[in-house]
Amino acid sequence: MVTLGEGDTPLVRSRAIGETLGCSELFFKLEGCNPTGSFKDRGMVVAVAKAVEAGGTGIVCASTGNTSASAAAYGAYFGLTTTVVVPKGQVARGKLTQAIAFGARIILVDGGFDQALELVRGITERHPIALVNSVNPDRIQGQKTAAFEIIEELGEAPDYVFIPVGNAGNISAYWLGFSEAFGMEWISSRPKMMGFQAEGAAPIVRGEVVEDPRSVASAIQVGNPASWESALRAKDESGGAIDAVSDEEILEAYRLMARKEGIFCEPASAAALAGLLKRAREGFSFRGKKVVCIVTGSGLKDPDQAAENEPTFMEEYPPELSAIERAFAVD
Ligand SMILES: *Cc1c(COP(=O)(O)O)cnc(C)c1O
């Protein structure tokens, strides 16, 4: 009854990067293929459906961008009033464009994501508006389905799941999914959860709130993750890790994935592969292991990033066959 076509995203086998790591089975879960271009849709469809079921007419969220794009889309689909509160100047252009197109009310605040989340929590305590951030447990229930899809496709759990960590809802959701599957004896073991924050926004790694989180990966620019405790549980119970990668490492992975695998993701999503490359450099062996990197959002979300950080090789010729032939000869 309730869908914009979220979920059932591709699990693509690496053709190049896995081989260089001696990892024969590296996969990318392309969450950018969801209706609004990020995994947020999996949770949003459930959160919004439950809000409607409860008789609500309005939803609100704080967002680094993708939650607002998703809330705005599902809000439009259900005819709800959607308000998004976002940090001014810190949201990638594609994401803001989506919220505008879907007709959401957009409130810019001169602060970070953490402050925006605090504000919307205050509002929903006082007003009958549904909060659709990942502190809403319905979001987590929706997002856990990605773990089920990976199991369905591989026929078992992978050995490792590498995933970016921002507000930490998603790593918690995957762990819930794998744990439920394990409890139902659908899989005989659970993967190690490998969460990666950006170095300038790594509160869980540092063990303290980061007041002014900074990263090129705006979707994980979070200084005080709401699901901090459950992310630590996912790490501990799985025998995994939560670590940080630098902006340089993120952008290196972002380029590699596009140029070697044909996968264009947004910078935050590249933190997963950046984490895998970091572990490999540190000497961890992934030989014979099944590894899945969660590619959380589409590269089209953040077109300025691609334009700014990529050297541009554009050439101009007159529209004549002879001129174009000369261009091929030069190559
Ligand atoms: C929201 C988001 C994240 C971080 O997910 P959390 O659940 O906040 O940890 C990572 N990548 C992208 C593209 C996102 O939109």
Side-chain angles (χ1 to χ4, degrees):
M1 288 167 64
V2 178
T3 183
L4 282 174
E6 57 292 321
D8 276 330
T9 57
L11 187 68
V12 175
R13 184 187 286 267
S14 162
R15 278 176 48 86
I17 299 171
E19 200 166 89
T20 65
L21 301 177
C23 171
S24 56
E25 296 195 87
L26 171 62
F27 298 89
F28 298 105
K29 179 75 168 158
L30 302 192
E31 290 292 285
C33 294
N34 278 297
T36 75
S38 87
F39 73 83
K40 300 296 198 298
D41 295 338
R42 291 180 183 274
M44 197 56 70
V45 67
V46 181
V48 171
K50 294 301 271 184
V52 171
E53 184 183 77
T57 57
I59 56 174
V60 66
C61 66
S63 180
T64 59
N66 281 332
T67 298
S68 65
S70 188
Y74 287 87
Y77 187 56
F78 281 100
L80 305 177
T81 309
T82 306
T83 309
V84 305
V85 181
V86 299
K88 190 178 165 191
Q90 293 177 33
V91 176
R93 194 153 52 89
K95 304 175 188 182
L96 211 49
T97 304
Q98 288 177 291
I100 293 167
F102 293 129
R105 180 166 184 203
I106 301 170
I107 296 178
L108 305 175
V109 292
D110 201 359
F113 167 79
D114 302 283
Q115 277 162 296
L117 183 58
E118 220 174 283
L119 292 169
V120 297
R121 283 176 126 163
I123 288 297
T124 52
E125 274 164 23
R126 292 154 192 265
H127 298 273
I129 308 169
L131 178 60
V132 295
N133 279 101
S134 61
V135 293
N136 178 334
D138 297 324
R139 279 275 309 275
I140 304 298
Q141 290 296 324
Q143 284 171 214
K144 76 182 180 190
T145 57
F148 297 162
E149 288 172 18
I150 291 171
I151 295 167
E152 268 181 338
E153 199 128 345
L154 298 180
E156 60 190 319
D159 298 293
Y160 292 91
V161 171
F162 282 77
I163 184 169
V165 174
N167 210 26
N170 211 28
I171 189 172
S172 308
Y174 272 84
W175 186 239
L176 176 66
F178 285 116
S179 296
E180 284 188 3
F182 185 67
M184 294 184 288
E185 295 178 20
W186 185 15
I187 48 176
S188 57
S189 66
R190 294 177 290 182
K192 293 190 193 318
M193 299 301 302
M194 308 293 287
F196 283 83
Q197 300 192 294
E199 231 165 59
I204 301 179
V205 179
R206 293 166 55 168
E208 59 183 17
V209 170
V210 173
E211 289 301 337
D212 187 22
R214 287 288 154 193
S215 173
V216 65
S218 57
I220 52 173
Q221 200 171 262
V222 178
N224 187 13
S227 299
W228 192 320
E229 292 306 321
S230 53
L232 283 177
R233 267 202 307 282
K235 176 200 80 153
D236 292 337
E237 291 175 11
S238 73
I242 294 182
D243 196 359
V245 281
S246 69
D247 279 5
E248 292 71 42
E249 290 169 322
I250 287 171
L251 290 177
E252 181 208 349
Y254 169 84
R255 265 190 297 273
L256 262 182
M257 220 177 333
R259 305 236 171 132
K260 300 290 182 197
E261 303 283 0
I263 295 170
F264 184 33
C265 67
E266 66 169 286
S269 309
L273 177 62
L276 174 61
L277 296 173
K278 180 178 177 181
R279 276 291 183 274
R281 270 199 303 274
E282 287 168 352
F284 280 73
S285 167
F286 293 97
R287 197 163 296 280
K289 300 293 187 198
K290 275 193 173 66
V291 178
V292 176
C293 286
I294 311 302
V295 186
T296 47
S298 160
L300 293 173
K301 292 280 193 172
D302 199 348
D304 300 318
Q305 187 58 48
E308 259 175 42
N309 284 283
E310 302 302 294
T312 44
F313 295 106
M314 289 198 233
E315 304 166 47
E316 204 174 327
Y317 291 93
E320 292 155 12
L321 186 56
S322 58
I324 304 300
E325 254 193 315
R326 275 201 302 280
F328 276 82
V330 168
D331 176 70

